[in-house]
Amino acid sequence: QVQLVESGGGLVQAGGSLRLSCAASGRTFSGYGMGWFRQAPGKEREFVAAITWTGGNTYYSDSVKGRFAISRDNAKNTVNLRMNNLTPEDTAVYYCAAKRRGPPLGGGAVDYWGQGTQVTVSS
């Protein structure tokens, strides 16, 4: 089992920034691809960003590309999502995700989920 705990969500004005963090614990974190998904009210959960185990490759949805940046620190078992130039359309619950052997690019491929953290962007 891998436990994922997100933090850093909150309320921010449009144009502002937030940094989400996800701390992993439990069995070895080694080899896991990590990612972030989000779910807005009344919508399906959607992919936001992902990063490979080595951090050598990152992936973003078109809606956040150029504004969000995913990173990880394997020594600390953490993965972060820096979100800049936020808009009300970014309002959602953000979930950390872990996948054995490869980045989690789809919800169906995720092995572990965090409990989620709320991000609200006011206009």
Side-chain angles (χ1 to χ4, degrees):
Q1 282 290 89
V2 172
Q3 289 80 43
L4 305 174
V5 179
E6 302 97 335
S7 61
L11 174 64
V12 64
Q13 289 188 333
S17 299
L18 279 177
R19 180 174 176 270
L20 304 183
S21 293
C22 174
S25 61
R27 65 176 299 167
T28 179
F29 190 53
S30 177
Y32 278 76
M34 300 296 295
W36 291 90
F37 289 71
R38 68 186 182 186
Q39 187 167 18
K43 296 187 177 181
E44 294 186 353
R45 191 172 299 188
E46 65 173 1
F47 169 76
V48 175
I51 188 168
T52 53
W53 159 245
T54 63
N57 289 292
T58 57
Y59 307 83
Y60 299 94
S61 68
D62 288 342
S63 61
V64 308
K65 197 173 297 181
R67 300 188 298 122
F68 291 12
I70 189 170
S71 61
R72 67 188 297 164
D73 184 338
N74 290 340
K76 296 181 179 180
N77 286 354
T78 57
V79 61
N80 302 305
L81 184 68
R82 178 68 180 179
M83 306 185 294
N84 296 323
N85 195 20
L86 287 160
T87 74
E89 288 69 38
D90 295 314
T91 295
V93 177
Y94 284 70
Y95 296 90
C96 181
K99 178 181 180 293
R100 304 182 190 91
R101 295 185 294 276
L105 302 179
V110 173
D111 293 305
Y112 300 102
W113 292 101
Q115 84 287 352
T117 185
Q118 176 71 45
V119 171
T120 302
V121 184
S122 63
S123 58

